[in-house]
Amino acid sequence: MNFKKVVVAGGGVLGSQIAYQSAFWGFDVTIWLRSEASIGRATPKLARLKDIYVDTLEAMKTSTVYPRGFATDKLSDEEIDAMKERAIKAHDSLTLTTSYEEAFKDADFVIECIAEDPKQKIAFYTEMAKYLPDKTVIATNSSTMLPSTFASYTGRPEKYLALHFANEIWKNNTAEIMGHAGTDSKYYDEVVDFAKAIHMVPLCLKKEQPGYILNTMLVPFLTAAEYLAANDVADPETIDKTWMLGTGAPAGPFRILDIVGLTTAYNIVIMKPEAKDPNSNAGKIAAMLKKYIDEGKTGINAGEGFYKYK
Amino acid sequence: MNFKKVVVAGGGVLGSQIAYQSAFWGFDVTIWLRSEASIGRATPKLARLKDIYVDTLEAMKTSTVYPRGFATDKLSDEEIDAMKERAIKAHDSLTLTTSYEEAFKDADFVIECIAEDPKQKIAFYTEMAKYLPDKTVIATNSSTMLPSTFASYTGRPEKYLALHFANEIWKNNTAEIMGHAGTDSKYYDEVVDFAKAIHMVPLCLKKEQPGYILNTMLVPFLTAAEYLAANDVADPETIDKTWMLGTGAPAGPFRILDIVGLTTAYNIVIMKPEAKDPNSNAGKIAAMLKKYIDEGKTGINAGEGFYKYK
């Protein structure tokens, strides 16, 4: 893997984290943003990440379990201090630009993290292709779309695939890697190596799968739990307790839903056509979630969802 | 809850454990068995449980985590020795009989653990009803059937419900409790109290639900994982790693399938009509499981399933 210059397109929650983590582990990182307003929104996110990285690293001095995206083996205080310095340098090293030419003209690797809107993604790939050198490999971080949808717009379908991160990537360091049928394994392997280089655990898919691995299992599991509560078979606390006692898991489905966010869960269920029928299971689940959402109980970030957090 | 005399009908894996655990916690327990041959099969199971109880209790002296069906708070060696004596007494106190009259004539509570065959269950309930006094409450431990199917044959539908245990109940101490529409809450509550008295965690369902709470979530979750492997999206190890890293769970779906047993998983999937089509998802899952089963890799009890255990 010869990636040196990495460009992250988009400065949202994940884009800013991916850019920061890549810079922290030594890559030359540029963040391409759509507008000056986007730069204005990304800048405080990156400042906040600097604080999080420095504080989290400092806390490692008195902890036995480290955030896996930072380290797994025990480190000395001196080693941790050196990492804190690197975290500060990483912040200062980031280049933010709205210029396609500046961002992409000598990029080795682009990670696309723009809005989950096919039209915006197609317009972006089409424009970017005009500036990219031949060598550039491109990955999308899309959670919901497939690389085959966009491959033809990149000008290099064989160098295009998906690299999907989880929120708080310095702790939740999974990277699901998924090509489309036309992805060349040579570039797939380079992206696997890149994931390892920024201390992610690469989780390799052998073919395209909507939802990747994790969401393919998580969605039917959470839907079954929502069904039980929406049909008043049992209450969320009982359902969570059953799952935890039955499988040894540290959290049940409603605790997970609070982390995912009830609005996301609601948006998933109303995509089903039968959700329009209030007597269908999807309709009952949508009604249950909407009741919580209307009360402001959208999950852990709101301080309350199925559980209270403050 | 005034249960004193508890009758367990059936001496299979769960029946013998439920009988033992109930006797261990002070109930007067009779095991009703269909035939002398059934007594011959149950007797060594109970002797083996005596060894397991005594050995497991002894091991608690040097452990910080106890099997939850025995204790949760730290105990002294003397307290543990007293429990070991109770475990031995429990074994010797069990009455085994093939006589309906002897078993049921003054039973307070019957737990039905006979074969998962509706015809056998109906014949059993119909015959038992001739001997039971009015007071007797009846629970079924059926994993796959609903109490409403059998309530009318018990002669006391209002005193009939489901009480569903997990294997190795001294460790996995969940008790899912589920009435049918005609179950009287007074008797439901008595069964909740009984579950607590034998150190189970009662998990209360408010209405009938095939698969109770746990299997309603577990089956679609495991099916999604099986789908990913059977379609060669990713291998079992990668799928398990993704689930464990993504949710913090101690085991992924293929580790759980090894515990459940691949034969059980196979029997569940071939019940779907589309499993007959080898190109359907159910058909692909069935073929994948059958390949392991044909090689003798049926799970942890066989020493190998998706993983090796010896």
Side-chain angles (χ1 to χ4, degrees), chain A residues 68 173-174 176 201-209 212-214 216-218 220-221 224-225 227-228 231-235 238-239 241-243 245-250 253 256, chain B residues 68 173-174 176 201-209 212-214 216-218 220-221 224-225 227-228 231-235 238-239 241-243 245-250 253 256:
Chain A
R68 292 186 302 252
N173 67 333
T174 55
E176 294 186 279
V201 178
L203 299 166
C204 295
L205 286 84
K206 299 182 225 173
K207 59 173 73 159
E208 277 200 334
Q209 169 63 34
Y212 302 84
I213 299 171
L214 183 60
T216 297
M217 296 186 279
L218 204 53
F221 161 63
Y227 157 83
L228 287 170
N231 280 281
D232 203 32
V233 173
D235 51 58
T238 300
I239 296 166
K241 191 159 68 168
T242 304
W243 185 255
L245 288 170
T247 69
I256 294 173
Chain B
R68 292 185 304 251
N173 67 334
T174 55
E176 294 185 279
V201 178
L203 300 165
C204 295
L205 286 85
K206 298 183 227 172
K207 60 172 74 159
E208 277 201 331
Q209 168 63 33
Y212 301 84
I213 299 171
L214 183 58
T216 297
M217 296 187 280
L218 205 51
F221 161 61
Y227 157 83
L228 287 170
N231 281 281
D232 203 31
V233 173
D235 51 58
T238 300
I239 296 167
K241 191 159 71 170
T242 304
W243 185 255
L245 288 169
T247 69
I256 294 173

Coordinates of all heavy atoms in Angstrom, one line a residue, chain A residues 68 173-174 176 201-209 212-214 216-218 220-221 224-225 227-228 231-235 238-239 241-243 245-250 253 256, chain B residues 68 173-174 176 201-209 212-214 216-218 220-221 224-225 227-228 231-235 238-239 241-243 245-250 253 256:
Chain A
R68 N -9.5 0.8 21.1 CA -8.8 -0.1 20.2 C -8.2 0.6 19.0 O -7.2 0.1 18.4 CB -9.7 -1.2 19.7 CG -10.1 -2.2 20.8 CD -10.9 -3.3 20.2 NE -12.0 -2.9 19.5 CZ -13.3 -3.0 20.0 NH1 -13.6 -3.6 21.1 NH2 -14.3 -2.5 19.2
N173 N -13.5 0.4 16.2 CA -12.5 0.5 15.1 C -12.8 -0.6 14.1 O -11.8 -1.4 13.7 CB -11.1 0.4 15.6 CG -10.7 -0.9 16.3 OD1 -11.6 -1.6 16.8 ND2 -9.5 -1.3 16.3
T174 N -14.0 -0.8 13.7 CA -14.3 -1.7 12.6 C -14.3 -1.0 11.3 O -14.7 0.2 11.2 CB -15.7 -2.4 12.8 OG1 -16.7 -1.4 12.9 CG2 -15.7 -3.2 14.1
E176 N -15.6 -2.2 7.6 CA -16.2 -3.2 6.7 C -15.8 -2.8 5.3 O -16.0 -1.6 4.9 CB -17.7 -3.3 6.8 CG -18.2 -3.8 8.2 CD -19.7 -4.0 8.3 OE1 -20.4 -3.0 8.6 OE2 -20.1 -5.2 8.2
V201 N -9.9 -2.7 12.5 CA -9.9 -4.1 12.2 C -10.7 -4.3 10.9 O -11.9 -4.0 10.8 CB -10.7 -4.8 13.3 CG1 -10.8 -6.3 13.0 CG2 -10.0 -4.6 14.6
P202 N -10.0 -4.7 9.8 CA -10.7 -4.9 8.5 C -11.6 -6.1 8.6 O -11.2 -7.1 9.0 CB -9.6 -5.1 7.5 CG -8.4 -5.5 8.3 CD -8.6 -5.1 9.7
L203 N -12.9 -5.8 8.2 CA -13.9 -6.9 8.1 C -14.3 -7.1 6.6 O -14.9 -6.2 6.1 CB -15.1 -6.6 9.0 CG -14.8 -6.4 10.4 CD1 -15.9 -5.7 11.2 CD2 -14.4 -7.7 11.1
C204 N -13.8 -8.2 6.0 CA -13.8 -8.3 4.6 C -15.0 -9.0 4.1 O -15.3 -10.1 4.4 CB -12.6 -9.0 4.1 SG -11.0 -8.1 4.5
L205 N -15.8 -8.3 3.2 CA -16.9 -8.9 2.5 C -16.4 -9.3 1.1 O -15.7 -8.6 0.5 CB -18.1 -7.9 2.3 CG -18.9 -7.6 3.6 CD1 -18.2 -6.5 4.4 CD2 -20.3 -7.2 3.2
K206 N -16.9 -10.5 0.7 CA -16.4 -11.1 -0.5 C -17.3 -10.7 -1.7 O -17.0 -10.9 -2.8 CB -16.5 -12.6 -0.4 CG -15.5 -13.2 0.6 CD -15.5 -14.7 0.7 CE -15.6 -15.2 2.1 NZ -15.8 -16.7 2.1
K207 N -18.5 -10.1 -1.4 CA -19.3 -9.5 -2.5 C -20.2 -8.4 -1.9 O -20.2 -8.2 -0.7 CB -20.2 -10.7 -3.1 CG -21.1 -11.4 -2.1 CD -22.0 -12.3 -2.8 CE -21.3 -13.6 -3.3 NZ -22.2 -14.7 -3.5
E208 N -20.9 -7.8 -2.8 CA -21.8 -6.7 -2.4 C -23.0 -7.2 -1.5 O -23.6 -8.2 -1.8 CB -22.4 -5.9 -3.6 CG -21.5 -4.9 -4.2 CD -22.2 -3.9 -5.0 OE1 -23.2 -4.2 -5.6 OE2 -21.7 -2.7 -5.1
Q209 N -23.2 -6.5 -0.5 CA -24.3 -6.8 0.4 C -24.9 -5.5 1.0 O -24.2 -4.9 1.8 CB -23.8 -7.8 1.5 CG -24.8 -8.0 2.7 CD -26.1 -8.7 2.2 OE1 -26.0 -9.6 1.3 NE2 -27.2 -8.4 2.8
Y212 N -24.0 -4.2 4.5 CA -22.8 -4.8 4.9 C -23.1 -6.1 5.8 O -24.1 -6.7 5.7 CB -21.8 -3.9 5.6 CG -21.4 -2.7 4.8 CD1 -22.2 -1.5 4.8 CD2 -20.2 -2.6 4.1 CE1 -21.9 -0.4 4.1 CE2 -19.9 -1.5 3.4 CZ -20.7 -0.4 3.4 OH -20.3 0.7 2.7
I213 N -22.1 -6.4 6.7 CA -22.3 -7.5 7.6 C -23.1 -7.1 8.8 O -24.2 -7.8 9.2 CB -21.0 -8.1 8.1 CG1 -20.2 -8.6 6.9 CG2 -21.2 -9.3 9.1 CD1 -18.7 -9.0 7.2
L214 N -22.7 -6.1 9.5 CA -23.3 -5.8 10.8 C -24.8 -5.4 10.7 O -25.6 -6.0 11.4 CB -22.6 -4.6 11.5 CG -23.1 -4.2 12.9 CD1 -23.0 -5.4 13.9 CD2 -22.3 -3.1 13.5
T216 N -26.9 -6.1 8.4 CA -27.7 -7.2 7.9 C -28.2 -8.1 9.0 O -29.3 -8.6 8.9 CB -26.8 -8.1 6.9 OG1 -26.4 -7.3 5.8 CG2 -27.6 -9.3 6.4
M217 N -27.4 -8.1 10.1 CA -27.9 -8.9 11.3 C -28.6 -8.0 12.2 O -29.6 -8.4 12.9 CB -26.7 -9.5 12.0 CG -25.9 -10.5 11.1 SD -24.6 -11.4 12.1 CE -23.3 -10.2 12.0
L218 N -28.1 -6.7 12.4 CA -28.7 -5.9 13.4 C -30.1 -5.5 13.1 O -31.0 -5.5 14.0 CB -27.8 -4.6 13.5 CG -27.8 -3.8 14.8 CD1 -27.5 -4.7 16.0 CD2 -26.8 -2.7 14.7
P220 N -32.7 -7.0 11.3 CA -33.8 -8.0 11.7 C -33.9 -8.3 13.2 O -35.0 -8.5 13.7 CB -33.4 -9.3 10.9 CG -32.0 -9.1 10.5 CD -31.8 -7.6 10.4
F221 N -32.7 -8.3 13.9 CA -32.7 -8.5 15.3 C -33.5 -7.3 16.0 O -34.4 -7.6 16.8 CB -31.2 -8.5 15.8 CG -31.0 -8.3 17.2 CD1 -31.6 -9.1 18.2 CD2 -30.2 -7.2 17.7 CE1 -31.4 -8.9 19.6 CE2 -30.0 -7.0 19.0 CZ -30.6 -7.8 20.0
A224 N -37.2 -7.5 15.3 CA -37.9 -8.5 16.1 C -38.2 -8.0 17.5 O -39.3 -8.2 18.1 CB -37.1 -9.8 16.2
A225 N -37.2 -7.3 18.1 CA -37.4 -6.7 19.4 C -38.5 -5.6 19.4 O -39.3 -5.6 20.3 CB -36.1 -6.1 19.9
Y227 N -40.9 -5.4 17.4 CA -42.2 -6.1 17.2 C -42.8 -6.6 18.5 O -44.0 -6.4 18.8 CB -42.0 -7.3 16.2 CG -43.0 -8.4 16.4 CD1 -44.3 -8.3 15.8 CD2 -42.8 -9.5 17.2 CE1 -45.2 -9.3 15.9 CE2 -43.7 -10.5 17.4 CZ -44.9 -10.4 16.7 OH -45.9 -11.4 16.9
L228 N -41.9 -7.1 19.4 CA -42.3 -7.7 20.7 C -42.9 -6.5 21.5 O -43.9 -6.7 22.2 CB -41.2 -8.3 21.4 CG -40.8 -9.7 20.9 CD1 -39.5 -10.2 21.5 CD2 -41.9 -10.8 21.1
N231 N -46.2 -4.9 20.0 CA -47.4 -5.7 20.1 C -47.7 -6.0 21.6 O -48.5 -6.8 21.9 CB -47.2 -7.0 19.4 CG -47.4 -6.9 17.9 OD1 -48.6 -6.9 17.5 ND2 -46.4 -6.7 17.1
D232 N -46.9 -5.3 22.5 CA -47.2 -5.5 23.9 C -47.0 -6.9 24.4 O -47.7 -7.3 25.3 CB -48.6 -4.9 24.3 CG -48.6 -4.5 25.8 OD1 -47.6 -4.1 26.3 OD2 -49.7 -4.7 26.4
V233 N -46.1 -7.6 23.8 CA -45.8 -9.0 24.3 C -45.0 -8.9 25.6 O -45.2 -9.6 26.5 CB -45.0 -9.8 23.2 CG1 -44.5 -11.1 23.8 CG2 -45.9 -10.0 22.0
A234 N -44.1 -7.9 25.6 CA -43.3 -7.7 26.8 C -42.8 -6.2 26.7 O -42.8 -5.6 25.7 CB -42.1 -8.6 26.9
D235 N -42.3 -5.7 27.9 CA -41.8 -4.3 27.9 C -40.3 -4.3 27.5 O -39.6 -5.3 27.6 CB -42.1 -3.6 29.2 CG -41.6 -4.5 30.4 OD1 -40.4 -4.8 30.4 OD2 -42.4 -4.8 31.2
T238 N -37.8 -5.9 30.0 CA -37.8 -7.4 30.0 C -37.2 -8.0 28.8 O -36.5 -9.0 28.9 CB -39.3 -7.8 30.1 OG1 -39.9 -7.3 31.3 CG2 -39.4 -9.4 30.1
I239 N -37.4 -7.4 27.6 CA -36.9 -7.9 26.4 C -35.3 -7.8 26.4 O -34.6 -8.7 26.1 CB -37.4 -7.1 25.2 CG1 -38.9 -7.4 25.1 CG2 -36.7 -7.5 23.9 CD1 -39.7 -6.4 24.1
K241 N -33.5 -7.6 29.2 CA -33.0 -8.6 30.2 C -32.9 -10.0 29.6 O -31.9 -10.7 29.9 CB -33.9 -8.5 31.4 CG -33.3 -9.2 32.6 CD -33.9 -8.7 33.9 CE -35.4 -9.1 34.1 NZ -35.9 -8.9 35.4
T242 N -33.9 -10.4 28.8 CA -34.0 -11.7 28.3 C -32.8 -11.9 27.3 O -32.1 -12.9 27.4 CB -35.3 -11.9 27.5 OG1 -36.4 -11.6 28.4 CG2 -35.4 -13.3 26.9
W243 N -32.5 -10.9 26.5 CA -31.4 -11.0 25.5 C -30.0 -11.1 26.3 O -29.2 -11.9 26.0 CB -31.4 -9.8 24.6 CG -30.3 -10.0 23.5 CD1 -29.2 -9.3 23.4 CD2 -30.3 -10.8 22.4 NE1 -28.4 -9.6 22.3 CE2 -29.2 -10.6 21.7 CE3 -31.3 -11.8 21.9 CZ2 -28.8 -11.3 20.5 CZ3 -30.9 -12.5 20.7 CH2 -29.7 -12.2 20.0
L245 N -29.4 -12.0 29.5 CA -29.3 -13.3 30.2 C -29.2 -14.5 29.2 O -28.4 -15.4 29.5 CB -30.5 -13.5 31.1 CG -30.5 -12.6 32.4 CD1 -31.9 -12.7 33.1 CD2 -29.4 -13.0 33.3
G246 N -29.9 -14.4 28.1 CA -29.9 -15.5 27.2 C -28.6 -15.7 26.3 O -28.3 -16.8 25.9
T247 N -28.0 -14.5 26.1 CA -26.8 -14.6 25.2 C -25.5 -14.0 25.8 O -24.5 -14.1 25.2 CB -27.0 -13.8 23.9 OG1 -27.1 -12.4 24.3 CG2 -28.4 -14.2 23.2
G248 N -25.6 -13.5 27.0 CA -24.4 -12.9 27.7 C -24.0 -11.6 27.1 O -23.0 -11.1 27.5
A249 N -24.8 -11.0 26.3 CA -24.5 -9.7 25.7 C -24.5 -8.6 26.8 O -25.3 -8.7 27.7 CB -25.5 -9.4 24.6
P250 N -23.7 -7.5 26.6 CA -23.7 -6.4 27.6 C -24.9 -5.5 27.5 O -25.1 -4.7 28.3 CB -22.4 -5.7 27.3 CG -22.2 -6.0 25.9 CD -22.7 -7.4 25.6
P253 N -31.5 -5.1 22.9 CA -31.9 -4.3 21.7 C -32.4 -2.9 21.9 O -32.1 -2.0 21.1 CB -33.0 -5.2 21.1 CG -33.5 -6.1 22.1 CD -32.3 -6.3 23.0
I256 N -29.4 -0.8 22.5 CA -28.8 -0.5 21.2 C -29.6 0.5 20.4 O -29.0 1.4 19.8 CB -28.6 -1.8 20.5 CG1 -27.6 -2.8 21.2 CG2 -28.1 -1.6 19.0 CD1 -27.5 -4.2 20.6
Chain B
R68 N -25.8 -18.5 38.4 CA -26.8 -17.7 39.0 C -28.0 -18.4 39.6 O -28.7 -17.9 40.4 CB -27.4 -16.7 37.9 CG -26.3 -15.7 37.4 CD -27.0 -14.7 36.5 NE -27.5 -15.4 35.3 CZ -27.0 -15.3 34.1 NH1 -25.9 -14.6 33.8 NH2 -27.6 -16.0 33.1
N173 N -30.3 -19.2 34.1 CA -31.5 -19.2 35.0 C -32.6 -18.3 34.6 O -33.2 -17.5 35.3 CB -31.1 -18.9 36.5 CG -30.6 -17.5 36.7 OD1 -30.2 -16.9 35.7 ND2 -30.8 -17.0 37.9
T174 N -32.9 -18.4 33.3 CA -34.1 -17.6 32.8 C -35.3 -18.5 32.8 O -35.3 -19.7 32.6 CB -33.9 -17.1 31.4 OG1 -33.6 -18.2 30.5 CG2 -32.7 -16.1 31.3
E176 N -39.0 -17.9 31.1 CA -40.0 -17.2 30.3 C -41.4 -17.7 30.7 O -41.6 -18.9 30.6 CB -39.7 -17.3 28.8 CG -38.4 -16.6 28.4 CD -38.1 -16.6 26.9 OE1 -37.7 -17.6 26.4 OE2 -38.4 -15.5 26.3
V201 N -34.7 -16.2 37.0 CA -35.1 -14.8 36.8 C -36.4 -14.9 35.9 O -36.4 -15.4 34.8 CB -34.1 -14.0 36.0 CG1 -34.6 -12.6 35.7 CG2 -32.8 -14.0 36.8
P202 N -37.6 -14.5 36.5 CA -38.8 -14.6 35.7 C -38.8 -13.6 34.6 O -38.6 -12.4 34.9 CB -39.9 -14.4 36.7 CG -39.3 -13.8 37.9 CD -37.8 -14.0 37.8
L203 N -39.1 -14.0 33.4 CA -39.2 -13.0 32.3 C -40.7 -13.1 31.8 O -41.1 -14.1 31.2 CB -38.2 -13.4 31.2 CG -36.7 -13.4 31.6 CD1 -35.9 -14.1 30.6 CD2 -36.3 -12.0 31.9
C204 N -41.4 -12.1 32.1 CA -42.9 -12.1 31.9 C -43.4 -11.7 30.6 O -43.2 -10.5 30.2 CB -43.5 -11.3 33.0 SG -43.2 -12.0 34.7
L205 N -44.0 -12.6 29.9 CA -44.7 -12.2 28.6 C -46.2 -11.8 29.0 O -46.8 -12.5 29.8 CB -44.7 -13.3 27.6 CG -43.3 -13.6 26.9 CD1 -42.5 -14.5 27.8 CD2 -43.5 -14.2 25.5
K206 N -46.7 -10.8 28.3 CA -48.0 -10.3 28.6 C -49.1 -11.0 27.7 O -50.3 -10.9 27.9 CB -48.1 -8.8 28.4 CG -47.2 -8.1 29.4 CD -47.4 -6.6 29.2 CE -46.1 -5.8 29.1 NZ -46.2 -4.4 28.7
K207 N -48.6 -11.7 26.7 CA -49.5 -12.5 25.8 C -48.8 -13.6 25.1 O -47.5 -13.7 25.2 CB -50.2 -11.6 24.8 CG -49.3 -10.8 23.9 CD -50.0 -10.1 22.8 CE -50.7 -8.8 23.3 NZ -50.9 -7.9 22.2
E208 N -49.5 -14.4 24.4 CA -48.9 -15.6 23.7 C -48.0 -15.1 22.6 O -48.4 -14.2 21.8 CB -50.0 -16.5 23.2 CG -50.5 -17.5 24.2 CD -51.1 -18.7 23.6 OE1 -51.7 -18.6 22.4 OE2 -51.1 -19.8 24.2
Q209 N -46.9 -15.7 22.5 CA -45.9 -15.4 21.4 C -45.1 -16.6 21.0 O -44.4 -17.1 21.9 CB -45.0 -14.2 21.9 CG -43.8 -14.0 21.0 CD -44.2 -13.5 19.6 OE1 -45.2 -12.8 19.4 NE2 -43.5 -13.9 18.6
Y212 N -41.6 -17.4 22.3 CA -41.4 -16.5 23.5 C -40.6 -15.2 23.1 O -40.7 -14.8 22.0 CB -40.6 -17.3 24.6 CG -41.3 -18.5 25.1 CD1 -41.1 -19.7 24.4 CD2 -42.1 -18.5 26.3 CE1 -41.8 -20.9 24.9 CE2 -42.7 -19.7 26.7 CZ -42.6 -20.9 26.0 OH -43.2 -22.0 26.5
I213 N -39.8 -14.7 24.1 CA -39.0 -13.5 23.8 C -37.7 -13.8 23.1 O -37.4 -13.3 22.1 CB -38.8 -12.7 25.1 CG1 -40.1 -12.3 25.8 CG2 -37.9 -11.5 24.8 CD1 -39.9 -11.7 27.2
L214 N -37.0 -14.7 23.7 CA -35.6 -14.9 23.3 C -35.5 -15.5 21.8 O -34.9 -14.9 21.0 CB -34.8 -15.9 24.2 CG -33.4 -16.1 23.8 CD1 -32.6 -14.8 23.8 CD2 -32.7 -17.1 24.8
T216 N -37.8 -15.4 19.5 CA -38.3 -14.4 18.6 C -37.2 -13.5 18.0 O -37.3 -13.0 16.9 CB -39.5 -13.6 19.3 OG1 -40.5 -14.5 19.6 CG2 -40.0 -12.5 18.3
M217 N -36.3 -13.2 18.9 CA -35.1 -12.3 18.4 C -34.0 -13.2 17.9 O -33.4 -12.8 16.9 CB -34.6 -11.5 19.6 CG -35.6 -10.5 20.1 SD -34.9 -9.4 21.3 CE -35.0 -10.4 22.8
L218 N -33.7 -14.3 18.5 CA -32.6 -15.1 18.1 C -32.7 -15.7 16.7 O -31.8 -15.7 15.9 CB -32.4 -16.3 19.1 CG -31.0 -16.9 19.3 CD1 -30.0 -15.8 19.6 CD2 -31.1 -17.9 20.5
P220 N -34.4 -14.7 13.8 CA -34.1 -13.9 12.7 C -32.6 -13.4 12.7 O -32.0 -13.2 11.6 CB -35.1 -12.7 12.8 CG -35.6 -12.7 14.2 CD -35.5 -14.2 14.6
F221 N -32.1 -13.2 13.8 CA -30.7 -12.8 14.0 C -29.8 -13.9 13.4 O -28.9 -13.7 12.5 CB -30.3 -12.5 15.4 CG -28.9 -12.5 15.8 CD1 -28.0 -11.6 15.2 CD2 -28.4 -13.4 16.7 CE1 -26.6 -11.7 15.5 CE2 -27.1 -13.5 17.1 CZ -26.2 -12.6 16.5
A224 N -30.1 -14.3 9.6 CA -29.4 -13.3 8.8 C -27.9 -13.7 8.8 O -27.3 -13.5 7.7 CB -29.6 -11.9 9.5
A225 N -27.4 -14.2 9.9 CA -26.0 -14.6 9.8 C -25.8 -15.8 8.9 O -24.8 -15.8 8.1 CB -25.5 -14.9 11.3
Y227 N -27.6 -16.5 6.4 CA -27.7 -16.0 5.0 C -26.4 -15.5 4.5 O -26.0 -15.7 3.4 CB -28.8 -14.9 5.0 CG -28.7 -14.0 3.8 CD1 -29.2 -14.3 2.6 CD2 -28.0 -12.8 4.0 CE1 -29.1 -13.4 1.5 CE2 -27.9 -11.9 2.9 CZ -28.4 -12.2 1.7 OH -28.3 -11.3 0.7
L228 N -25.7 -14.7 5.3 CA -24.4 -14.1 4.9 C -23.4 -15.1 4.6 O -22.7 -15.0 3.6 CB -23.9 -13.1 6.0 CG -24.6 -11.8 6.2 CD1 -24.1 -11.1 7.5 CD2 -24.4 -10.9 5.0
N231 N -24.5 -17.4 1.4 CA -24.3 -16.6 0.2 C -22.9 -16.2 -0.1 O -22.6 -15.4 -1.0 CB -25.3 -15.4 0.1 CG -26.7 -15.8 -0.2 OD1 -27.0 -16.0 -1.4 ND2 -27.5 -16.0 0.8
D232 N -22.0 -16.7 0.8 CA -20.6 -16.4 0.6 C -20.3 -14.9 0.6 O -19.3 -14.4 0.0 CB -20.0 -17.0 -0.6 CG -18.5 -17.3 -0.6 OD1 -18.0 -17.5 0.6 OD2 -17.8 -17.2 -1.6
V233 N -21.0 -14.1 1.4 CA -20.7 -12.7 1.6 C -19.5 -12.6 2.5 O -18.6 -11.7 2.3 CB -21.9 -11.9 2.2 CG1 -21.6 -10.5 2.5 CG2 -23.1 -12.0 1.2
A234 N -19.4 -13.4 3.5 CA -18.3 -13.4 4.4 C -18.2 -14.7 5.1 O -19.2 -15.5 5.1 CB -18.4 -12.3 5.4
D235 N -17.1 -15.1 5.7 CA -17.0 -16.4 6.4 C -17.4 -16.2 7.8 O -17.5 -15.1 8.4 CB -15.5 -16.9 6.3 CG -14.5 -15.9 6.7 OD1 -14.6 -15.4 7.9 OD2 -13.7 -15.5 5.9
T238 N -15.4 -14.1 10.3 CA -15.5 -12.6 10.0 C -16.9 -12.1 10.5 O -17.0 -11.0 11.1 CB -15.4 -12.3 8.5 OG1 -14.1 -12.7 8.1 CG2 -15.5 -10.8 8.2
I239 N -17.9 -12.9 10.3 CA -19.3 -12.5 10.7 C -19.3 -12.4 12.2 O -19.8 -11.4 12.8 CB -20.3 -13.4 10.1 CG1 -20.3 -13.4 8.6 CG2 -21.7 -13.1 10.7 CD1 -21.1 -14.5 7.9
K241 N -16.8 -12.0 14.3 CA -15.9 -10.8 14.7 C -16.7 -9.5 14.6 O -16.6 -8.6 15.4 CB -14.6 -10.9 13.9 CG -13.6 -9.9 14.4 CD -12.2 -10.3 14.0 CE -11.9 -10.1 12.5 NZ -10.5 -10.2 12.1
T242 N -17.4 -9.4 13.4 CA -18.1 -8.1 13.2 C -19.2 -7.9 14.3 O -19.3 -6.8 14.8 CB -18.8 -8.2 11.8 OG1 -17.8 -8.5 10.8 CG2 -19.5 -6.9 11.5
W243 N -19.9 -9.0 14.6 CA -21.0 -8.8 15.7 C -20.3 -8.5 17.0 O -20.8 -7.6 17.7 CB -21.8 -10.1 15.7 CG -22.9 -10.0 16.7 CD1 -23.0 -10.6 17.9 CD2 -24.2 -9.3 16.5 NE1 -24.2 -10.2 18.5 CE2 -24.9 -9.5 17.6 CE3 -24.7 -8.5 15.4 CZ2 -26.2 -8.9 17.8 CZ3 -25.9 -8.0 15.5 CH2 -26.7 -8.1 16.7
L245 N -17.4 -7.1 17.7 CA -16.8 -5.7 17.7 C -17.9 -4.7 17.7 O -17.8 -3.6 18.3 CB -15.8 -5.5 16.6 CG -14.5 -6.3 16.8 CD1 -13.7 -6.2 15.5 CD2 -13.6 -5.7 17.9
G246 N -18.9 -5.0 16.9 CA -20.0 -4.0 16.7 C -20.9 -3.8 17.8 O -21.5 -2.7 18.0
T247 N -21.1 -4.9 18.6 CA -22.1 -4.8 19.7 C -21.5 -5.1 21.1 O -22.2 -5.0 22.1 CB -23.3 -5.8 19.5 OG1 -22.7 -7.1 19.7 CG2 -23.9 -5.7 18.1
G248 N -20.2 -5.5 21.1 CA -19.6 -5.8 22.4 C -20.0 -7.2 23.0 O -19.7 -7.5 24.1
A249 N -20.7 -8.0 22.2 CA -21.2 -9.3 22.7 C -20.0 -10.2 22.8 O -19.0 -10.1 22.1 CB -22.2 -9.9 21.7
P250 N -20.1 -11.2 23.8 CA -19.0 -12.1 24.0 C -18.9 -13.2 22.9 O -17.9 -14.0 22.9 CB -19.3 -12.7 25.4 CG -20.8 -12.6 25.5 CD -21.2 -11.4 24.7
P253 N -22.9 -15.0 16.1 CA -23.9 -15.9 15.7 C -23.5 -17.4 15.5 O -24.2 -18.3 15.8 CB -24.6 -15.3 14.5 CG -23.6 -14.4 14.0 CD -22.8 -13.9 15.2
I256 N -22.9 -19.1 18.7 CA -24.2 -19.4 19.3 C -24.8 -20.6 18.6 O -25.3 -21.5 19.2 CB -25.1 -18.2 19.2 CG1 -24.6 -17.1 20.1 CG2 -26.6 -18.6 19.7 CD1 -25.4 -15.7 20.0

